[in-house]
Each structure stands twice: as structure tokens, then as C-alpha cells.
Amino acid sequence: MPFPGGIDANANATLLFSLAAAVIYAFTIDMPQMLARSAVKTLAEAMLAVLASLQGGPWLLIAALALSAIGDALLSRDGEKAFVGGLGGFLAAHGLYIALFVRAGDGGGLFLAEPWRAAIAGAMAVFALAMAFALWRRVSPALRLPISVYIATILAMGISALTLSNLWVVGGAVLFMASDGLLASEKFLLTAISPHRVWMRYAVWMLYYGAQMGITMGFLLG
């Protein structure tokens, strides 16, 4: 187990509860919307916030995970209002992640010492611009500004993660951007009958949960 003690230790048990909830949600992705489905999705993320708290993680990490859980709860419901609310929850979470990464990072020092970081930052910027351009033409006018702000914020989150030497956190940020890109594509760019919707929903969840797990464990174990 990653934390001291056996499987019954608080931290290890909390981690296992989170993993179990994540797996259960994966089996309910294509089921109709229901309260139990929303609850298990929210629980997977909320348990990571509890784990970070139990292990004395940074308060910015705990708050970001808690806000992500709220965002999950809202995004699990149908409708534009729920989507915008979930977007707001994740926007706030990314803002906290940016503050956390900037506080824990090395500024621009690692970019100069390790050029691959600048290359990844450039790829992130190209990806973000491509998504913004594609979505601008497909979403309703009311969503254009919130989505544009969200894309800029997650780009800043990804680049700020590159200032850390902890590769778990860097990997988590990359997975987060990939997850959000797939989610936006599935929701706004694909046709309603596209056969790609099924595998993309599973990929979004696996990438997203892997991202949050990577960032969490990176700070708690790194």
C-alpha cells in the first residue's frame, strides 16, 4: 500500500474507496441519469480530497479536489445550467491548482534547464488554440465566453505544472488537458449518432480520474 499501515489504515482505505467508486462509475457511464450514478462519480473525487486532508496535503490541493467533486456532481446532470455550473466548479479548481503549482514550482528555471518542458508547453498552447477555434463555431453564443475563459485557465494550469520537478504532477496536468479536450469534442463536435461517443466517454473518465490521482499522489508521496 502507498501509505503507512495496512489496507485498514485510514489513508489506504480512503484511497481504495475512491478507486472502487471510480470503477463503479465506469460501469454506469452509459446508464440513464440517476442520483446514484451522480453520487458515485462525486464520491470518487471527494475521497481524494479526504485522502489529501488525512495526509496533511496542501490546503490548495484539498480545496481544488473538493471543488472538482462539486463540478463532477453538476456535470453528471443534464442541461446547460448544470454544465455551466460544473464548468464554474472546475474553473475555480484549476485556479487553485495554478496557485498550488506556482507556489511549489521553480518558476522558469526548469524550462531553461530542460527544453522538453518548453516543447510540451508549446504543444499545450497549440492544442488549446485549436480547441478554442473549433468550439467557438459550434457552441451557443452564451457559452463562448465561459468556454474561452476555461480553455485559457486550463492552459495556464498545464504550463504552471511544468514548473514542477514532480513528473506525477506534470503527467496529471497533461492527462487533465487531454480529458477536457475529449469531453469538449464528445459534447460539442461529434454528431449525436457518432459511434465514437461510447469509447470517448470511457476515455474521458479514465484520463480525468488518472489526472486527479496523479496530481494528488504526486503531492502526497513526492
Side-chain angles (χ1 to χ4, degrees):
M1 301 303 291
F3 301 104
I7 194 174
D8 57 341
N10 287 340
N12 292 323
T14 301
L15 177 60
L16 290 175
F17 274 123
S18 175
L19 287 167
V23 171
I24 292 171
Y25 177 73
F27 283 100
T28 68
I29 284 178
D30 287 328
M31 292 183 180
Q33 178 180 284
M34 54 185 175
L35 184 58
R37 179 173 172 269
S38 298
V40 75
K41 182 181 184 183
T42 305
L43 184 63
E45 193 64 30
M47 287 295 97
L48 290 181
V50 173
L51 173 64
S53 179
L54 288 173
Q55 290 301 108
W59 73 267
L60 287 168
L61 173 64
I62 299 168
L65 291 168
L67 285 170
S68 295
I70 294 172
D72 279 333
L74 292 169
L75 288 180
S76 67
R77 314 304 292 175
D78 292 333
E80 189 169 292
K81 288 185 178 180
F83 176 77
V84 173
L87 199 69
F90 278 105
L91 182 66
H94 286 313
L96 293 177
Y97 275 138
I98 292 169
L100 175 63
F101 298 162
V102 168
R103 176 179 292 184
D106 189 37
L110 286 177
F111 280 89
L112 297 175
E114 301 176 351
W116 63 265
R117 294 176 183 270
I120 292 180
M124 287 178 172
V126 171
F127 174 75
L129 288 172
M131 288 302 301
F133 179 77
L135 292 173
W136 186 267
R137 299 177 299 166
R138 300 294 294 271
V139 303
S140 66
L143 287 178
R144 286 175 179 170
L145 180 58
I147 287 178
S148 297
V149 172
Y150 184 86
I151 290 174
T153 303
I154 195 171
L155 174 60
M157 184 277 295
I159 292 176
S160 64
L162 289 166
T163 67
L164 280 76
S165 59
N166 191 314
L167 295 183
W168 282 97
V169 177
V170 174
V174 171
L175 291 179
F176 223 137
M177 293 192 70
S179 171
D180 280 354
L182 277 179
L183 176 62
S185 298
E186 188 269 330
K187 188 171 183 64
F188 297 112
L189 302 182
L190 295 184
T191 62
I193 59 173
S194 173
H196 296 293
R197 285 185 174 273
V198 175
W199 71 262
M200 287 178 75
R201 291 192 186 108
Y202 288 96
V204 165
W205 176 245
M206 288 187 289
L207 290 170
Y208 164 72
Y209 185 75
Q212 297 281 33
M213 179 67 76
I215 293 172
T216 302
M217 301 302 278
F219 273 97
L220 298 185
L221 298 179

